[in-house]
């Protein structure tokens, strides 16, 4: 029997989780516009320095995700970083949740999850449209993919644009639900230092006021061979300085950081995360668009932000696709000579 074909848009935590779960019963292709996998599980190198510059750590609040993290820990893909919360003076609440980090980097976890999957990076989707049976996913540089089902894990405003480009018309209820989702931005500064940052173990600080939301020393964290600091600006600063030149952003954040060493000239970079974290989330873990062929919207904006929320959304999307494909198969099997979804 031909296995259903599913295209998963996005190789972040949500997309990779969905793809791994669906790969048991379907032929799955994951497409991502990025140069590598991971999405906001992002790591970058500048010279000899390494920076986690998106998600900093992951926590477990559900048995389901705790089991996944235990498996990744066993595989060496994540390790505990510290326990508790980060405050203005570093770690507090030592009885709190364990904060895990990817090993050796946050992006390495995504690479671990992508092993064995058909992942096509550098593949920008420009439209998703209805096909005779299923969906056509149009790539900017590589033609079309056809699929019986699609899981879209892009940030919701980008998902809406892809649907509009393909003439897919969500119901008014679905459109309202998707338009209700909002995100906050984050400007992230990465800078190499000429000496120790002065941030004590575990190497992270969450200042009580000012433009900095979080900063972490990637060397103390165990990510970088040399002193290398990631500074995340607050949503307010990020919003107000979104269009400011990189140097202006960097100078303002470095002045506020008051680090124990100087930045190395020419060894810094600013990343603009337009959709850093959801502010208004969809209340369910995914949204299945009404119609015969399943198209499921997922990602961290669906029922619980953060890395854990993205993973749980990806799992829910996979289950929704599997359930819907079962329904579709039965429905299509009913009429004699009924049309079967065409997969390449
Ligand atoms: C600065 C920052 C700090 C954070 N800190 C933490 C933290 O410490 N702990 C925590 O738990 N969470 C944190 N988060 C949130 C966490 O990173 C996210 O919740 C999670 O990684 C989202 O995963 P996702 O799969 O839903 O989305 P993403 O990781 O964004 O994946 C979506 C993917 O879709 C791809 N895509 C989009 N459009 C297209 C297209 N047209 N064609 C092809 N591909 C496309 C993108 O390239 C991307 O790879 C942080 C986020 C940021 C930005």
């Amino acid at each position: 029997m031909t296995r259903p074909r599913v295209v998963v848009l996005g190789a972040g935590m949500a997309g990779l989780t969905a793809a791994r779960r669906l790969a048991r019963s379907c032929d799955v292709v994951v497409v991502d516009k990025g140069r590598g996998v991971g999405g906001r599980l992002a790591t970058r190198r500048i010279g000899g320095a390494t920076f986690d510059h998106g998600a900093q750590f992951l926590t477990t609040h559900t048995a389901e995700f705790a089991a996944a993290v235990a498996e990744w820990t066993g595989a060496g893909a994540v390790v505990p970083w510290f326990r508790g919360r980060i405050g203005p003076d570093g770690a507090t609440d030592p009885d709190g949740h364990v904060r895990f980090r990817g090993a050796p980097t946050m992006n390495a976890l995504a690479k671990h999850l992508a092993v064995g999957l058909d992942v096509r990076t550098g593949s920008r989707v420009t439209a998703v449209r209805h096909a005779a049976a299923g969906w056509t996913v149009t790539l900017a540089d590589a033609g079309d993919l056809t699929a019986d089902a699609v899981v879209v894990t892009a940030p919701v405003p980008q998902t809406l644009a892809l649907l509009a480009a393909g003439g897919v018309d969500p119901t008014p209820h679905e459109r309202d639900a998707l338009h209700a989702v909002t995100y906050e931005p984050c400007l992230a500064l990465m800078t190499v230092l000429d000496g120790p940052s002065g941030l004590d173990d575990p190497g992270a600080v969450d200042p009580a006021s000012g433009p900095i939301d979080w900063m972490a020393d990637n060397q103390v964290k165990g990510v970088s061979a040399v002193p290398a600091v990631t500074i995340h600006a607050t949503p307010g600063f990020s919003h107000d300085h979104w269009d400011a030149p990189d140097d202006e952003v960097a100078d303002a954040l470095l002045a506020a950081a008051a680090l124990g060493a100087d930045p190395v000239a020419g060894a810094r970079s600013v990343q603009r995360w337009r959709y850093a974290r959801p502010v208004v989330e969809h209340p369910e873990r995914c949204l299945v668009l009404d119609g015969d062929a399943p198209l499921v919207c997922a990602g961290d904006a669906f029922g619980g932000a953060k890395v854990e929320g993205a993973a749980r959304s990806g799992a829910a999307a996979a289950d929704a696709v599997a359930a819907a494909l079962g329904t579709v198969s039965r429905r299509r099997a009913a009429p004699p000579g009924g049309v079967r979804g065409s997969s390449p």
Side-chain angles (χ1 to χ4, degrees):
M1 220 178 102
T2 314
R3 281 155 54 98
R5 169 136 166 168
V6 182
V7 171
V8 175
L9 189 158
M13 177 54 79
L16 292 173
T17 303
R20 284 165 65 91
R21 209 161 168 118
L22 284 166
R24 298 169 194 160
S25 56
C26 304
D27 289 339
V28 182
V29 177
V30 184
V31 289
D32 198 296
K33 66 183 179 183
R35 267 185 300 175
V37 299
R40 281 170 274 169
L41 291 174
T43 302
R44 166 97 170 264
R45 289 193 170 75
I46 300 177
T50 305
F51 302 83
D52 284 338
H53 64 99
Q56 298 293 295
F57 55 76
L58 46 103
T59 43
T60 63
H61 295 88
T62 60
E64 177 190 349
F65 192 59
V69 171
E71 187 186 319
W72 303 337
T73 305
V78 299
V79 292
W81 179 13
F82 63 92
R83 187 183 279 276
R85 293 182 178 282
I86 292 293
D89 300 315
T92 63
D93 180 23
D95 294 331
H97 285 277
V98 175
R99 266 66 178 165
F100 295 88
R101 65 173 179 83
T105 64
M106 292 300 283
N107 187 252
L109 170 59
K111 287 183 176 150
H112 171 76
L113 297 178
V115 170
L117 295 175
D118 180 354
V119 184
R120 305 179 190 179
T121 52
S123 300
R124 177 187 292 273
V125 175
T126 56
V128 178
R129 51 175 56 88
H130 290 287
W135 298 96
T136 299
V137 176
T138 302
L139 303 174
D141 302 318
D144 289 348
L145 296 171
T146 57
D148 298 297
V150 178
V151 176
V152 185
T153 68
V156 172
Q158 297 176 342
T159 298
L160 281 164
L162 294 173
L163 297 179
V168 176
D169 203 11
T171 66
H173 176 72
E174 291 162 355
R175 198 177 308 116
D176 287 351
L178 292 171
H179 278 290
V181 172
T182 60
Y183 297 79
E184 63 189 18
C186 178
L187 291 172
L189 170 67
M190 294 156 268
T191 184
V192 184
L193 299 178
D194 65 3
S197 67
L199 301 185
D200 295 330
D201 185 66
V205 170
D206 179 359
S209 59
I212 296 176
D213 200 29
W214 162 275
M215 59 181 170
D217 182 322
N218 292 280
Q219 187 182 37
V220 176
K221 184 180 181 182
V223 169
S224 180
V226 300
V229 171
T230 299
I231 301 177
H232 288 160
T234 58
F237 179 94
S238 301
H239 183 268
D240 293 347
H241 293 77
W242 191 255
D243 295 319
D246 284 1
D247 283 346
E248 186 181 322
V249 170
D251 291 346
L253 293 177
L254 283 169
L259 295 164
D262 290 327
V264 173
R268 69 187 193 188
S269 179
V270 173
Q271 164 82 32
R272 287 169 166 72
W273 296 108
R274 182 178 295 278
Y275 304 109
R277 298 181 194 85
V279 176
V280 177
E281 298 168 21
H282 183 68
E284 307 292 333
R285 277 197 241 153
C286 62
L287 178 65
V288 185
L289 294 195
D290 190 38
D292 260 5
L295 188 152
V296 184
C297 302
D300 68 340
F302 292 82
K306 303 189 177 184
V307 176
E308 178 170 17
R312 295 182 74 206
S313 176
D319 291 348
V321 165
L325 285 175
T327 308
V328 169
S329 309
R330 280 199 299 281
R331 211 184 291 152
R332 284 184 186 151
V339 180
R340 170 73 195 106
S342 62
S343 303

